[in-house]
């Protein structure tokens, strides 16, 4: 239950009607919807946002109607939403009503002009910035009353949820991180089952949570730079999305709009080859994920060299990496141990390109993984510039047909 409710009071000549809560089947006959809020939701405190005109016209009558039923707090001086500055004034007024962790119900029934829209946006922001839990966004639709003067009460929480989908989608598009989208899917599944507990359960979604779990697992694998796991999870996600596509249309339409985009984004990484790993490096760079890009690019060079030396197995990686370091030192006329594997490496095609890439990645990797804690660390801007060139640097090393299994 909400501990607080925030409501608007307008200047209208409100008529008595019977407000009906469709969820609980409660009803309340009253002029003021605020009385129905108290009856239906029992908040501890009801904040009423008042424009100067609304205070003159209706405030005293509302106080008399709710006397002794709830702690009633007027929020005076609400602007009428005529100009841009009004948004910030309203935002400040709402902020002053709420503390971190509050559970709040918003009522926009008697909001004036654009004030309900501003309230919705402010509420969405406070949900994130202060950890406020929005229990509902309700609207008493007086214009939709029936012949018995019964007025339905709608919960417009899907509008808040749409804003959450918007934020999650923006994060995915800009950063490639789909964790928030995964959470939205799982929440949609849970909410639908809670709301439909008394319905025919055969009509409720079966796949949304599984899709959310799969998308979350894929995002975690990407965040920790696990190309083999990325490939596995990308295949699983594709299967989940195919089996649940119809459910998405009905229960998670914002995600359904992204279906093709998400499938297209992850399909190139499903086979875990040197080619797919090289594409993944580019994907990291395009989404400003520089640390994973640098780490994977360096490991990719070890895999490429292993293929060229016919040592593609995981147990060969340490000796291949040692040979790369030895060959680099040899090329710089530095003393090193001339091993047989190092000598073979010096003779492979495209060795000079490999050496340049290895030296570049070595410097980048050491500077970033040690957090710049070394003598004469590079600036962040310099690292960004070098990292942005990584996809083209790796593209200079050709792939043979047999290099299909990335090590």
């Amino acid at each position: 239950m909400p501990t607080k409710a925030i409501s608007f009071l307008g200047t209208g000549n409100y008529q008595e009607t019977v407000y009906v809560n469709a969820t609980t089947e409660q009803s309340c006959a009253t002029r003021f919807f605020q009385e129905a809020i108290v009856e239906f939701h029992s908040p501890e405190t009801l904040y009423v946002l008042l424009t100067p005109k609304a205070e003159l016209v209706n405030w005293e009558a509302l106080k008399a109607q709710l006397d002794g039923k709830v702690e009633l707090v007027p929020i005076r001086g609400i602007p009428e939403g005529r100009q841009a500055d009004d948004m910030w004034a309203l935002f400040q007024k709402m902020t002053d009503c709420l503390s971190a962790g509050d559970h709040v119900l918003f009522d926009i029934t008697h909001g004036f002009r654009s004030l309900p829209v501003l309230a919705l946006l402010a509420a969405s922001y406070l949900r994130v910035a202060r950890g406020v839990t929005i229990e509902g966004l309700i609207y008493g639709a007086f214009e939709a009353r029936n012949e018995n003067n019964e007025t339905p009460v709608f919960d417009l929480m899907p509008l808040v949820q749409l804003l959450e989908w918007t934020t999650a989608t923006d994060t995915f598009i800009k950063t490639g991180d789909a964790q928030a989208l995964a959470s939205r899917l799982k929440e949609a599944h849970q909410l639908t089952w809670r709301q439909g507990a008394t319905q025919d359960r055969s009509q409720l979604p079966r796949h949304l949570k599984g899709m959310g779990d799969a998308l979350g697992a894929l995002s975690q694998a990407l965040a920790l730079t696990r190309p083999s796991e990325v490939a596995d999870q990308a295949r699983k996600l594709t299967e989940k999305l195919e089996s649940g596509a119809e459910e998405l249309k009905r229960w998670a339409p914002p995600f359904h709009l992204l279906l093709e985009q998400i499938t297209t984004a992850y399909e190139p990484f499903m086979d875990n080859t040197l080619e797919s790993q090289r594409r993944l490096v580019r994907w990291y760079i395009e989404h400003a994920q520089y640390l994973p890009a640098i780490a994977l690019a360096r490991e990719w060079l070890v895999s490429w060299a292993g293929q060229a030396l016919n040592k593609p197995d995981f147990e060969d990686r340490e000796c291949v990496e040692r040979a790369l370091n030895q060959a680099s030192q040899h090329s710089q006329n530095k003393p090193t141990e001339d091993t047989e594997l190092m000598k073979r490496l010096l003779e492979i095609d495209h060795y000079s390109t490999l050496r340049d890439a290895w030296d570049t990645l070595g410097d980048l990797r050491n500077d970033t993984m040690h957090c710049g804690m070394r003598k004469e660390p590079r600036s962040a801007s310099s690292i960004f510039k070098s990292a942005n060139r990584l996809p083209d640097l790796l593209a200079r090393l050709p792939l043979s047909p047999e290099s299909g299994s990335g090590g």
Side-chain angles (χ1 to χ4, degrees):
M1 297 294 289
T3 55
K4 296 179 178 179
I6 296 178
S7 179
F8 290 92
L9 187 63
T11 60
N13 180 22
Y14 300 127
Q15 305 298 310
E16 181 168 307
T17 185
V18 179
Y19 289 103
V20 179
N21 186 329
T23 302
T24 64
E25 298 183 351
Q26 293 172 283
S27 62
C28 178
T30 181
R31 285 181 58 206
F32 295 106
F33 185 62
Q34 287 81 4
E35 185 173 9
I37 294 173
V38 174
E39 182 73 22
F40 296 160
H41 301 283
S42 304
E44 295 176 6
T45 306
L46 175 60
Y47 295 92
V48 180
L49 281 64
L50 301 164
T51 64
K53 290 182 180 179
E55 183 173 5
L56 287 174
V57 174
N58 281 319
W59 173 240
E60 292 300 326
L62 178 63
K63 278 201 305 181
Q65 193 83 8
L66 293 180
D67 183 39
K69 296 182 178 181
V70 69
E71 180 186 5
L72 191 61
V73 180
I75 306 298
R76 296 183 168 90
I78 296 299
E80 295 184 351
R82 297 179 185 270
Q83 52 191 3
D85 287 347
D86 290 352
M87 177 180 71
W88 301 116
L90 175 63
F91 178 80
Q92 188 61 54
K93 294 283 187 181
M94 294 180 64
T95 300
D96 292 342
C97 297
L98 299 173
S99 302
D102 277 346
H103 288 244
V104 62
L105 181 78
F106 285 93
D107 161 43
I108 61 172
T109 301
H110 300 313
F112 183 61
R113 287 202 177 99
S114 62
L115 294 183
V117 176
L118 298 182
L120 169 63
L121 296 175
S124 181
Y125 179 81
L126 291 170
R127 180 190 62 81
V128 176
R130 286 200 170 177
V132 170
T133 299
I134 302 175
E135 297 287 352
L137 181 71
I138 56 175
Y139 174 69
F142 184 75
E143 69 282 358
R145 65 192 184 281
N146 62 21
E147 64 276 6
N148 296 322
N149 197 30
E150 294 174 330
T151 296
V153 178
F154 300 120
D155 190 345
L156 304 179
M157 271 300 289
L159 294 179
V160 178
Q161 292 160 359
L162 183 58
L163 289 175
E164 294 174 356
W165 278 107
T166 301
T167 302
T169 300
D170 185 61
T171 299
F172 165 69
I173 291 173
K174 289 180 179 177
T175 71
D177 184 356
Q179 288 280 22
L181 281 175
S183 296
R184 297 285 81 76
L185 274 177
K186 289 186 282 188
E187 288 173 5
H189 184 106
Q190 294 164 358
L191 179 62
T192 301
W193 274 82
R194 283 200 303 269
Q195 293 177 340
T198 60
Q199 301 176 11
D200 179 2
R201 296 200 167 197
S202 66
Q203 301 301 311
L204 297 178
R206 301 283 174 177
H207 301 284
L208 294 186
K209 184 180 182 300
M211 286 186 280
D213 289 339
L215 184 58
L218 174 56
S219 291
Q220 288 176 346
L222 285 165
L224 294 175
T225 326
R226 298 289 190 270
S228 178
E229 189 174 348
V230 167
D232 291 341
Q233 295 298 341
R235 289 191 294 269
K236 290 178 182 178
L237 176 62
T238 299
E239 294 171 0
K240 296 283 187 182
L241 294 178
E242 289 176 353
S243 62
E246 290 303 314
E247 285 190 4
L248 289 172
K249 287 183 182 179
R250 181 176 180 183
W251 304 110
F255 190 90
H256 187 263
L257 290 176
L258 290 171
L259 194 56
E260 182 177 352
Q261 188 170 351
I262 287 175
T263 303
T264 301
Y266 297 135
E267 189 275 335
F269 316 132
M270 290 172 56
D271 52 5
N272 191 32
T273 62
L274 283 178
E275 178 58 37
S276 70
Q277 290 177 16
R278 187 162 61 181
R279 287 195 295 262
L280 185 54
V281 171
R282 185 177 295 276
W283 183 89
Y284 279 129
I285 294 297
E286 289 172 347
H287 292 90
Q289 297 191 41
Y290 291 101
L291 290 179
I294 292 168
L296 180 57
R298 185 178 183 277
E299 294 302 316
W300 187 90
L301 290 179
V302 177
S303 298
W304 189 94
Q307 294 282 357
L309 294 169
N310 196 27
K311 286 188 171 293
D313 298 328
F314 281 108
E315 54 266 25
D316 296 323
R317 295 185 69 82
E318 186 175 345
C319 63
V320 172
E321 184 174 343
R322 189 182 307 114
L324 282 164
N325 287 326
Q326 292 166 342
S328 176
Q329 291 174 333
H330 182 275
S331 298
Q332 299 173 52
N333 296 317
K334 294 180 180 180
T336 185
E337 179 184 359
D338 293 341
T339 63
E340 182 64 30
L341 194 62
M342 183 270 284
K343 294 176 182 177
R344 287 175 53 197
L345 190 61
L346 292 172
E347 296 173 356
I348 66 171
D349 292 338
H350 310 288
Y351 167 70
S352 61
T353 302
L354 173 64
R355 179 200 62 212
D356 292 344
W358 182 252
D359 290 344
T360 297
L361 262 302
D363 182 65
L364 276 175
R365 185 260 187 192
N366 290 337
D367 209 319
T368 54
M369 295 301 118
H370 291 291
C371 307
M373 296 182 186
R374 65 176 188 167
K375 187 177 180 180
E376 298 181 357
R378 298 175 61 173
S379 67
S381 61
S382 171
I383 291 174
F384 278 9
K385 289 178 182 177
S386 295
N388 282 323
R389 291 194 288 267
L390 287 180
D392 292 336
L393 190 65
L394 300 187
R396 296 173 190 167
L397 291 168
L399 298 179
S400 60
E402 60 269 19
S403 64
S405 57

